Amino acid sequence: MLKIDNLHVRVAGREILKGLSLQVNAGEVHAIMGPNGAGKSTLGNVLAGRGGYEVTQGSVAYGGRDLLQLEPEARAAAGVFLAFQYPVEIPGVNNTYFLRAALNAQRKARGEAELDSREFLQLVREKLKGMQLPPELMNRAVNEGFSGGEKKRNEIFQMAVLEPKLAILDETDSGLDIDALKQVAEGVNALRDPKRAFILITHYQRLLDYIVPDFVHVLADGRVVESGGAHLAQELEAHGYAWVRERKPAEAAA
Amino acid sequence: MAIERTDLQQLLNRRYSAGFVTDIETDTLPPGLNEDVIHALSARKREPEWMTQWRLEAYRHWLTMTPPAWAKLNIAPIDFQAISYYAAPKQAPKSLAEVDPKLLETYDKLGVPLHERARLAGVAVDAVFDSVSVGTTFRKELAEAGVIFCSMSEAIREHPEIVRQYLGSVVPQRDNFFAALNSAVFSDGSFVFIPKGVRCPMELSTYFRINAGHTGQFERTLIVAEEGASVSYLEGCTAPMRDENQLHAAVVELVALERANIKYSTVQNWYPGDEQGRGGIYNFVTKRGDCRGDDSRISWTQVETGSAITWKYPSCILRGDRSVGEFNSVALTHHRQQADTGTKMIHIGRDTRSKIVSKGISAGRGQNTYRGLVKIEKSAANARNHTQCDSLLIGKKCGAHTFPYMEVKNPSAIVEHEATTSKISDEQLFYCRSRGLDEENAVSMIVDGFCKQVFRELPMEFAVEAKKLLEVSLEGAIG
Amino acid sequence: MSASAAPFVESMRAAALPASGIGWLDAARHEAMQAFLSAGLPDTRNELWKYTALRALEQRGYSARDESASTRMIDEGTFALPDIEGTRLVFVNGVFRADLSRLDDLPQGLSVQPLSRALVENPEPLRFLLSRHATEPRDSFASLNAALASDGVLVRVAPAAQIEAPLRIVHLGAQAEAAIACHARNFVELGEGACLRLIEHYAALGEHAHFTNIACEYVLQKSARIDLLALQDSAVGAALFRRSDFHLHEDAQLELHALELGGALARHELRIALDGDRSRAQTRGAFALRGRQHVDTELLIEHHGRDTASDSLWRGVADGRARGVFHGAITVHPGADGADAQLSNKNLLLSEGAEIDTRPALEIHADEVKAAHGATIGQLDEHALFYLRSRGLPAETARILLVRAFCAVALSGVEPQALREHCDALLLAHLPRENAQ
């Protein structure tokens, strides 16, 4: 589904990703872990197409297409979804209205029929079930005045409605208390599907207690320095990131 | 990868959809202004002598005045002798049934059908074409409720006692340069009278259309709401695309007596001129409401997307105790449009309240200025004002300016003003795009959100129209 | 124009300085006087003077100068500031007083000279500075200043010099035989990377009427930084007109605190030009007025360079029949991308007869800009007042406490602490003791 090959990315003149490679297949859940500054969020932003990220080398193939050539909205229509670390507030734009406009824009781009407001509301009601998102948030402006936890849950809710093929969660766990974390994890688990892949970007292992990944990758200094199964996250938790560096000094320095 | 500013240049040339000309025979006075012209105009309208004299007084004073220069507008001098002060379709209709089909077609095209079968439900329309009203819908229904809604010309003939009592009582003949000119040569406009205790059963609306070339439009509107009466009124404006600048100098007077409530909404879409700044309407308007009675309320809502130049400050004189004034505005300038607009809230009565919400959007080389005065007189104990002015910049060559004036003479008053200027953030654009919206949709959604507070004040149908208008006006703004 | 016949204008004409023997200077003074005479005093149709009418001033004549200014007995205690020692220049009724000043032992890199002395010793370097006013379009008071100022201060800070101890410029108004007029012109230049602390102190002995017109110009070269406290506590009868022009080059920084307390009619026009990239200005100010005082602060900030920043916080309190005027105008010029401009102006109106007029303004011609302003006119928060009273404070004490707190934001950052406390005490002395409200 997604094949990242030797990706080099510069931000504001500084190289952040230095030859990152990663393959993600449909149905898989990959966790990307790593210390601050390793380039985790950069990866998410590059995949979603944020401005200011310059790809100097390497490639990203998604469903056989060159993902990097697509505009952000075309990526969304193709099924790429980024749950933002810091979702922006958009004053005056109604949350429900926004989501319907986004869903219909995507459906239109894919040649599918757009949903009328009745169908859409039905969908929203259905997806809201079990989301524990206060219904009144749907009538507020996008992210405006939402608490940190509400913003994150709103991102997961958007994901549930938009049903992406590849969901990238950028530190969705940060700043959440344990209850909110569980709710977010439940939301994600409910969406696990053989046709859908997840990339979980996280600093801490605790999210992975609730969403058990198929693969864990450790990102350090702009590339993947170690990959393994879910157990790798526990070892990291036990030993810290320094442990990876010590174990793989030769590779990390290469 | 950077967000590419998608090439929307082709959209820049999207036409102003109201820019067509109706080919109709017109009775036009030759260009120029003198006392003879005023006599001729007054005679054409079969006005009583007092009206002719009133015009002449205004004209004589106007001769002593100079155009205001304080606004932040760059205007070539206007040759007032090159303008024709009267233009009207040759066949004056007696009733809507007799209106020239070409005119009906014109209003159909503008989305304001006048004929019986397609009228806007629940909205009575007075259609003003160049200098005259061509018809008013739902007259019978309104008359049953006791509401008078007709053209100003007709009101002067049919209801002289009311017109004499109120005309010029809010905006005197000598108020300012353009108001004096209007008082001398005003052609037509709407007259609304809501008697004591009556809630007007439907929305009233006037649709102003400039058609003839080399003419000015000088409409005069007077709305009087007696004790406990209430009315919601809306005006819309369009004009053909021409290379010349045409002058529109209107005066609108609102009088609200005790407990009366007047809501006045404007969707102004005069031809704005082209990208180079050629042509477009010069819109110099004096609008003022007088909350004469206690507990009265006047609210102005305006969506200004058209005109090459906009100079207007719909104001409220809060004379009655506990009276309330509101001003809600969206002003958009694109290409080379210039707008200097805002309001005055003059607090005189006790416990008076005013609220100002102004949203300015500048794109292209547009210049957008908010200019507002909040004045609390000594007598206005416990007066309150809150003003919020936000400006949005789209592009590098536009300007957004905020000039509020606050004068407070009463120590129990509270006056607050807040203003911000920002551009659409890349952050917001990216968020919308990453959810699948294209850039143009994302911009219009963010702009719509920016204006939401004001659109909410518009009657439903017009809110939709205003939103569309904004989208069309902004086309090509990114690129 | 009727101004030509007005006593004020006539008295200024009569005050024209005798020939100095320096040709270019006399020409410049003459030209400036002509400019003033033809323009007269500004009227309220001039937007910058909208709320300050000069009709009363116009009807008043002032004596050309105080002939005894150089010999009057002055008690140094009248202008003492706590914990502030060191270099100072003292002017009495516009005349430099070497006996009261301290110019010995200047820190290295600081050069200070009275203008009158410089004109005698070596006038040529001043030629550009003093003659360009006649040709630049300026306001009436600047023209008047250029025509009549024969004294003032020249301050130069050498590149990289860090002047830690504050330099003080004191203008004292002392009782004279008649209502006198004085004019002073100051010029302060900081070389690249230089740093200066400056206190401008306007104080008075007595309650007499006089007219003072002071023009200051500050040039901050690249990376220079000035920390300026302007403390205005003039006599009750004073008409004081000040204009301060700041030019900031790349990375230069201005930190300004202004306290406006005295004067019958006091106007301070601050023009801050953020010319260089990344230059920044932080301004803080407050006025506390009573009686029939009329105080007008015009703060005009121009963003020209890229990534410039201005942050302004002003407070006003008016009691009695006083009138406070504030105009805070920020202009972001084309090309000044990355500008960040913030302005807040809050005012308290404490009595029936008082008036406050405020005008924050934003003029934005660039795109990547963050700009915001806010202004309020109102009263003390009743809830806060009640809270304090419910904790046992008498109403008046509570009120004064709140007014002080309201103004205190304008003083935060004044160093040393003793000086800040002194400013606070001066402010307190100007606050209404008893309030009918």
Side-chain angles (χ1 to χ4, degrees), chain C residues 336-398:
Chain C
D337 289 353
D340 183 342
Q342 311 289 327
L343 180 143
S344 153
N345 171 237
K346 294 187 179 180
N347 301 280
L348 291 178
L349 200 50
L350 297 180
S351 78
E352 287 291 338
E355 174 171 349
I356 285 179
D357 305 299
T358 174
R359 218 154 44 108
L362 285 174
E363 210 177 304
I364 313 288
H365 297 275
D367 160 331
E368 307 275 339
V369 166
K370 270 202 305 192
H373 68 210
T376 62
I377 305 176
Q379 308 82 42
L380 288 176
D381 178 2
E382 285 300 321
H383 298 291
L385 203 56
F386 175 74
Y387 181 83
L388 292 181
R389 294 177 69 184
S390 73
R391 293 290 174 271
L393 287 181
E396 195 194 318
T397 315

Side-chain angles (χ1 to χ4, degrees), chain B residues 8 25 39 53 59 68 72 105 143 151 208 251 298 303 307 309-310 315 318 351 362 379 400 415 418 421 436 478:
Chain B
L8 298 174
E25 269 198 281
H39 279 291
Q53 288 308 320
Y59 172 70
K72 198 173 173 59
E105 202 185 301
S151 73
F208 293 97
V251 170
I298 287 178
V303 176
S307 297
I309 305 268
T310 298
S315 303
L318 303 171
D351 302 305
S362 314
S379 51
V415 175
E418 294 173 75
T421 303
I478 306 261

Side-chain angles (χ1 to χ4, degrees), chain A residues 160-171:
Chain A
V161 171
L162 297 172
E163 299 185 313
K165 293 200 184 81
L166 171 64
I168 305 149
L169 277 62
D170 188 2
E171 304 218 7

Side-chain angles (χ1 to χ4, degrees), chain B residues 3 5 27 34 45 62 130 159 164 190-192 200 221 253 256 265 325 341 343 354 390 408 421 433 442 455 478:
Chain B
I3 297 178
R5 290 277 152 119
D27 170 20
N34 53 47
K45 302 178 86 66
W62 177 73
D130 289 330
H159 309 282
R164 272 188 101 158
S190 297
F191 173 77
V192 178
C200 187
T221 291
E253 297 177 275
S265 314
T341 182
T343 184
S354 64
D390 298 315
V408 180
T421 303
R433 294 182 71 191
F455 287 166
I478 306 261

Side-chain angles (χ1 to χ4, degrees), chain C residues 81-305:
Chain C
L81 291 177
D83 283 5
I84 301 294
E85 300 292 331
T87 315
R88 70 180 186 218
L89 289 98
V90 179
F91 294 80
V92 173
N93 290 347
V95 175
F96 175 66
R97 288 280 295 263
D99 57 325
L100 300 170
S101 303
R102 281 194 202 142
L103 289 176
D104 44 334
D105 213 9
L106 285 183
Q108 193 158 14
L110 177 63
S111 112
V112 178
Q113 205 177 16
L115 180 67
S116 50
R117 194 176 292 168
L119 281 173
V120 172
E121 289 170 4
N122 185 15
E124 197 51 31
L126 299 171
R127 184 171 184 155
F128 175 72
L129 179 63
L130 293 179
S131 54
R132 82 192 128 119
H133 288 279
T135 50
E136 267 180 31
R138 291 231 152 191
D139 64 66
S140 297
F141 289 96
S143 298
L144 202 52
N145 187 281
L148 299 176
S150 55
D151 217 337
V153 190
L154 297 169
V155 177
R156 285 205 162 80
V157 185
Q162 311 289 307
I163 311 302
E164 288 300 329
L167 166 68
R168 238 184 340 150
I169 301 172
V170 181
H171 281 275
L172 263 184
Q175 183 94 46
E177 288 63 41
I180 55 115
C182 53
H183 309 264
R185 169 127 181 74
N186 301 335
F187 182 76
V188 179
E189 181 172 12
L190 276 71
E192 186 173 333
C195 186
L196 175 70
R197 288 181 62 203
L198 182 63
I199 299 172
E200 292 174 5
H201 191 181
Y202 302 85
L205 294 163
E207 303 194 340
H208 56 287
H210 60 92
F211 170 83
T212 305
N213 175 6
I214 293 176
C216 303
E217 200 169 334
Y218 308 83
V219 175
L220 277 70
Q221 301 296 352
K222 192 175 168 188
S223 303
R225 182 196 153 103
I226 193 167
D227 206 326
L228 173 64
L229 170 67
L231 187 54
Q232 191 272 102
D233 194 14
S234 300
V236 192
L240 175 64
F241 292 81
R242 284 187 291 157
R243 172 162 165 167
S244 305
D245 284 80
F246 299 87
H247 301 277
L248 277 72
H249 293 244
E250 270 168 65
D251 296 298
Q253 277 187 60
L254 161 69
E255 191 170 323
L256 169 83
H257 289 91
L259 199 53
E260 299 283 340
L261 301 171
L265 172 59
R267 163 150 169 137
H268 193 187
E269 197 170 307
L270 293 138
R271 293 171 175 262
I272 300 172
L274 299 170
D275 294 328
D277 294 350
R278 296 171 304 283
S279 55
R280 46 210 313 128
Q282 180 185 297
T283 73
R284 301 283 181 265
F287 61 70
L289 315 178
R290 58 189 175 185
R292 290 180 157 273
Q293 282 185 283
H294 182 121
V295 171
D296 178 353
T297 297
E298 302 281 315
L299 175 67
L300 311 169
I301 300 178
E302 313 265 342
H303 289 256
H304 289 284

